[in-house]
Amino acid sequence: HSLRNVDELCASIVRSHRETTQYRVEELQALRWKVLSREEIQVYQSKSVDEMWQHCANRLTDAVQYVVEFAKHIPGFRMLSQNDQIALLKTGSMEVVLVRMCRYFNTENNTVFFDGKFAGVEVFKSLACGDLISAVFDFAHDMCALKLTEQQIALFSALVLINTERPCLEDRSRVQRVQRSVEFGLTHILHRENQESLMHKLYQRMAVLRSLCSLHMEKLRWFSQRYPLTAHSLFPPLYKELFA
Ligand SMILES: CCS(=O)(=O)c1ccc(CC(=O)Nc2nc(-c3ccccc3)c(C(=O)c3ccccc3CC(C)C)s2)cc1
């Protein structure tokens, strides 16, 4: 890699991250005062389990759609086979949605930007998966503590997605070449900012991401058995394609 390449690589991943987030961090900061009233919380809590799951599945699908767009602009991703692109997105897109939460999580009052306002963990009570939601909130809190810059979030998101350990990859060596270039980009910007110690912490977080995603899949299996009609006919097609 000549320096020119790695700078160009980082610039294109950061640009693609910027273009695939609906809000800038400054906008989300300015919206922090928009918390839910008691009545609004009551409305969420009085939804039935399948109603709230359907609502969140739609939010999650929106968030995942943006991650799919982000992936397509990672240099080298589109050179992979269709099947390998799907295989990476199947397991990686949820993990990137979780990484991105540190942009819209408020550690002062433990709220997450959801449906245009900041919501606490109690808002998701009717999902009946309190352990998943509190684990997601704890993870968001932990990621906020790293105080990642937009560049670091962008490069880390790309690294989370381009993972050669994913199951059923056809051409692992090609995925490895893209992964190596993204790794090089992340180490390059961390070195430039004198934050090499972050690399180890980011790799530790990747293990937590995997456990969060398997917890999500476990809850989804439980929900689909309990509410087969909702899961099969009312969930967005992309959600079913990626998670079911
Ligand atoms: C990321 C781009 S952005 O411009 O910053 C942006 C753009 C748009 C938003 C608004 C938004 O989509 N917020 C969501 N909140 C949650 C959520 C819900 C429960 C608890 C914690 C967060 C979403 C979910 O997908 C979801 C649904 C059910 C269960 C678990 C999750 C969490 C995810 C991370 C797995 S989507 C926020 C930020």
Side-chain angles (χ1 to χ4, degrees), residues 22-23 28 56 60 94 98 101 103-104 113-114 124:
Q22 306 95 300
Y23 299 86
L28 290 160
C56 285
L60 185 51
M94 175 74 163
L98 285 160
M101 255 184 76
R103 298 175 91 248
Y104 56 97
F113 190 62
F114 179 80
F124 304 94

Side-chain angles (χ1 to χ4, degrees), residues 17 20-25 27-28 52-53 55-64 66-67 94 96-101 103-105 112-117 119-121 124 127 129 132-134 136-137 216 239:
H17 169 73
T20 58
T21 49
Q22 306 95 300
Y23 299 86
R24 288 194 333 281
V25 181
E27 287 169 316
L28 290 160
M52 191 59 181
W53 261 85
H55 186 73
C56 285
N58 288 327
R59 293 294 72 72
L60 185 51
T61 304
D62 294 345
V64 161
Y66 280 94
V67 172
M94 175 74 163
V96 173
V97 170
L98 285 160
V99 167
R100 286 178 158 201
M101 255 184 76
R103 298 175 91 248
Y104 56 97
F105 189 79
V112 65
F113 190 62
F114 179 80
D115 268 354
K117 295 199 171 177
V121 70
F124 304 94
L127 283 173
C129 50
L132 169 69
I133 298 302
S134 43
V136 165
F137 270 63
H216 172 246
Y239 185 93

Side-chain angles (χ1 to χ4, degrees), residues 118-166:
F118 277 82
V121 70
E122 72 283 356
V123 166
F124 304 94
K125 203 165 68 179
S126 47
L127 283 173
C129 50
D131 48 351
L132 169 69
I133 298 302
S134 43
V136 165
F137 270 63
D138 291 348
F139 179 75
H141 220 289
D142 177 64
M143 285 301 288
C144 288
L146 297 179
K147 299 201 178 315
L148 299 181
T149 63
E150 280 295 276
Q151 279 203 1
Q152 290 162 353
I153 294 173
L155 268 296
F156 182 52
S157 299
L159 189 59
V160 160
L161 263 178
I162 313 291
N163 181 340
T164 51
E165 326 278 300
R166 297 300 184 200

Side-chain angles (χ1 to χ4, degrees), residues 93-226:
S93 56
M94 175 74 163
E95 293 185 1
V96 173
V97 170
L98 285 160
V99 167
R100 286 178 158 201
M101 255 184 76
C102 63
R103 298 175 91 248
Y104 56 97
F105 189 79
N106 182 355
T107 52
E108 277 147 37
N109 58 7
N110 243 359
T111 57
V112 65
F113 190 62
F114 179 80
D115 268 354
K117 295 199 171 177
F118 277 82
V121 70
E122 72 283 356
V123 166
F124 304 94
K125 203 165 68 179
S126 47
L127 283 173
C129 50
D131 48 351
L132 169 69
I133 298 302
S134 43
V136 165
F137 270 63
D138 291 348
F139 179 75
H141 220 289
D142 177 64
M143 285 301 288
C144 288
L146 297 179
K147 299 201 178 315
L148 299 181
T149 63
E150 280 295 276
Q151 279 203 1
Q152 290 162 353
I153 294 173
L155 268 296
F156 182 52
S157 299
L159 189 59
V160 160
L161 263 178
I162 313 291
N163 181 340
T164 51
E165 326 278 300
R166 297 300 184 200
C168 41
L169 286 176
E170 289 165 345
D171 188 343
R172 228 168 274 276
S173 61
R174 270 175 74 184
V175 176
Q176 194 166 49
R177 262 206 302 284
V178 185
Q179 181 185 36
R180 286 255 166 79
S181 68
V182 173
E183 260 170 7
F184 190 73
L186 182 56
T187 34
H188 172 70
I189 63 156
L190 291 182
H191 177 75
R192 201 171 53 192
E193 286 143 6
N194 224 340
Q195 287 196 307
E196 288 93 334
S197 61
L198 254 183
M199 198 62 175
H200 172 62
K201 291 176 185 154
L202 291 175
Y203 271 101
Q204 276 178 328
R205 267 56 179 197
M206 287 170 86
V208 181
L209 279 170
R210 270 196 292 283
S211 62
L212 275 176
C213 286
S214 47
L215 187 55
H216 172 246
M217 299 309 280
E218 187 191 306
K219 296 293 167 195
L220 177 60
R221 270 192 297 277
W222 162 79
F223 178 84
S224 310
Q225 270 149 22
R226 200 125 144 47

